[in-house]
Amino acid sequence: MKPYLYCLVLFLLTGCSREMIAKLYDVDYEPTNRFAKNLAQLPGQYRKDTAALDALINSFSGKIEQKWGRKEIKIAGKRNYVKYIDNYLSRTEVNFDKGTILVETVATTEPKQHLRQAIITTLLTPDNPSQVDLFSSKNVQLQGQPFLYKQVVDQDHQPIQWSWRAKRFADYLITHQLKVKEVDFKKSYYVEIPMVADQIEIRSYKYANIVRRAAKRYGIDEDLIYAIIKTESSFNPYAVSWANAYGLMQVVPKTAGRDVFRLVKNRSGQPSPKYLFNPENNIDTGTAYFYLLKNRYLREVNNPLSLEYSMISAYNGGAGGVLNTFSRNKSRAVSDINRLQPNQVYWALTKKHPNAESRRYLEKVTRYQKEFNNK
């Protein structure tokens, strides 16, 4: 058996962490350009940073449980928006994958009035995630362009932008589509609102100018940025995940965010959730991280398409995960990648990558790239 194939088989059988690779094989992450000073030794966008988020969500979940019961705890994620108001008595869940909106209340006095206000709040929630606290029941300031504008239409098939139309639609829903169910020995009054069929495309168009600027600034293809956003969040700017990742491109503040701040922005510290909930900041930061993947972490990959496949996989599973797919030795891994055709690199990263999520991730992103290019 050839030596490099032996190493690949050995790795697949035994497994190995990114930290062990660096320790055993002296992976060289020495900076080589002005964007790569003080480079983090173990680049990886999705190394978990959950302590602070866990503490916040545990407290948040306890308050939800008091009103809704243990089985009815719902929290915002990557592809769903969840917001509580009215001292946790009312809430909204927008499921972007299914294209549905559920607005409900467990208020025991005047439930229809509570539900009406929750519907109006949902329809008029602003297109600015930095103004909305997802982990409390704080009221939402209803000003500016609604986030769901054109993604939902009223009984007359008209988009909802103004207060009067939102109020009228709320009255219509309560009169014609009100439902009741049992929730933890209480009654939940709710309505379900379908989103328009092209709701994902409508959201994607909103960020066209931001994507274009970021692509030009960092030399990253627009279709790749679009595909990453669709994969990570379905164009949900309120997205938050288990890895303490935020916004459209699901940037982790302590890893990718910190690297971009230090190496690209020449700033100390790391981006805050509020900073990353701003779509302009989020897309800029996520694209800047792709710049680092392209020009530093994986710069020795020669073929442009092989490099792109490696960058996509690394955005999810780290540059170390890409190299580990081919060899336990960094130099040999790069050599192996450069000897292979792009389709062979793609096959290895989607079939032999040590992380199953990363294998699926590359498949999704490349599929979405084709969709955007065929439009």
Side-chain angles (χ1 to χ4, degrees):
M1 181 180 292
K2 293 182 179 180
Y4 71 92
L5 288 178
Y6 174 79
C7 289
L8 178 59
V9 171
L10 180 63
F11 170 71
L12 292 173
L13 290 175
T14 63
C16 202
S17 69
R18 186 163 50 242
E19 290 83 357
M20 187 177 294
I21 290 292
K23 184 176 181 180
L24 293 178
Y25 290 92
D26 191 26
V27 177
D28 176 20
Y29 292 115
E30 183 65 26
T32 58
N33 60 53
R34 68 186 183 91
F35 287 113
K37 295 177 182 178
N38 304 313
L39 188 63
Q41 284 191 324
L42 298 172
Q45 145 76 341
Y46 282 111
R47 281 181 290 146
K48 295 182 182 180
D49 174 30
T50 59
L53 187 63
D54 283 348
L56 175 62
I57 289 179
N58 286 337
S59 173
F60 183 52
S61 298
K63 295 174 182 177
I64 299 169
E65 184 178 342
Q66 290 176 9
K67 305 291 185 180
W68 294 84
R70 182 172 297 179
K71 295 182 180 180
E72 281 289 329
I73 296 174
K74 295 182 180 181
I75 297 176
K78 293 176 66 172
R79 294 178 180 82
N80 70 315
Y81 164 90
V82 178
K83 174 59 181 155
Y84 290 82
I85 62 171
D86 196 17
N87 194 27
Y88 295 93
L89 290 173
S90 304
R91 69 183 178 191
T92 293
E93 179 180 20
V94 182
N95 187 313
F96 297 104
D97 284 342
K98 294 181 179 179
T100 59
I101 301 171
L102 173 66
V103 188
E104 54 187 334
T105 186
V106 288
T108 55
T109 59
E110 298 185 329
K112 291 182 180 180
Q113 288 301 315
H114 287 264
L115 181 60
R116 181 178 187 270
Q117 186 56 48
I119 295 170
I120 295 168
T121 297
T122 301
L123 297 172
L124 298 180
T125 291
D127 194 16
N128 184 352
S130 64
Q131 296 180 4
V132 179
D133 186 351
L134 293 177
F135 300 110
S136 79
S137 65
K138 290 180 181 178
N139 289 333
V140 179
Q141 296 296 319
L142 306 181
Q143 56 187 16
Q145 181 90 311
F147 166 56
L148 293 174
Y149 180 58
K150 294 185 178 180
Q151 298 174 61
V152 176
V153 294
D154 65 10
Q155 68 272 29
D156 297 323
H157 305 288
Q158 296 299 311
I160 302 162
Q161 185 174 13
W162 309 112
S163 177
W164 67 267
R165 190 177 287 277
K167 292 176 180 178
R168 192 181 71 156
F169 188 39
D171 291 335
Y172 172 85
L173 290 170
I174 291 172
T175 300
H176 298 281
Q177 297 186 21
L178 179 65
K179 298 179 182 179
V180 182
K181 62 182 178 181
E182 291 293 324
V183 171
D184 194 40
F185 304 106
K186 295 185 289 288
K187 286 186 177 181
S188 167
Y189 293 77
Y190 69 99
V191 295
E192 296 173 294
I193 309 171
M195 302 176 76
V196 298
D198 58 344
Q199 42 102 3
I200 294 178
E201 287 73 18
I202 290 172
R203 286 196 303 282
S204 73
Y205 297 150
K206 295 195 295 185
Y207 308 115
N209 290 335
I210 300 176
V211 169
R212 191 174 300 115
R213 288 193 294 270
K216 184 177 181 180
R217 185 178 301 124
Y218 298 112
I220 303 298
D221 291 340
E222 290 184 32
D223 65 344
L224 175 56
I225 301 173
Y226 277 118
I228 292 293
I229 296 174
K230 184 172 182 179
T231 303
E232 291 290 351
S233 66
S234 290
F235 295 92
N236 169 22
Y238 291 88
V240 62
S241 80
W242 58 271
N244 200 16
Y246 298 92
L248 292 162
M249 294 185 75
Q250 285 291 276
V251 177
V252 179
K254 196 173 182 178
T255 52
R258 178 171 289 177
D259 279 358
V260 168
F261 260 30
R262 297 175 69 188
L263 312 179
V264 180
K265 303 297 183 182
N266 195 26
R267 296 176 58 173
S268 61
Q270 64 191 47
S272 66
K274 183 175 182 179
Y275 179 93
L276 292 173
F277 275 134
N278 179 294
E280 181 95 34
N281 295 339
N282 190 282
I283 293 174
D284 177 85
T285 304
T287 307
Y289 189 71
F290 264 107
Y291 173 88
L292 294 176
L293 289 172
K294 180 179 181 180
N295 294 282
R296 174 59 198 102
Y297 302 151
L298 298 167
R299 69 184 185 279
E300 296 173 340
V301 177
N302 295 329
N303 185 283
L305 187 53
S306 295
L307 175 59
E308 182 168 288
Y309 292 150
S310 300
M311 289 160 53
I312 294 169
S313 183
Y315 192 83
N316 178 263
V322 171
L323 299 177
N324 293 350
T325 303
F326 298 91
S327 175
R328 296 177 64 177
N329 178 278
K330 179 195 173 187
S331 297
R332 184 172 296 166
V334 172
S335 178
D336 288 350
I337 292 172
N338 287 332
R339 277 199 294 265
L340 296 173
Q341 295 298 314
N343 66 313
Q344 295 173 311
V345 173
Y346 179 88
W347 182 90
L349 291 173
T350 56
K351 304 297 183 183
K352 299 298 182 180
H353 193 290
N355 184 283
E357 181 184 347
S358 296
R359 295 196 293 269
R360 295 189 298 269
Y361 189 84
L362 178 56
E363 292 176 339
K364 288 180 182 178
V365 173
T366 51
R367 183 171 71 249
Y368 291 150
Q369 278 183 289
K370 292 178 182 178
E371 291 179 4
F372 283 112
N373 287 324
N374 290 332
K375 289 182 180 179

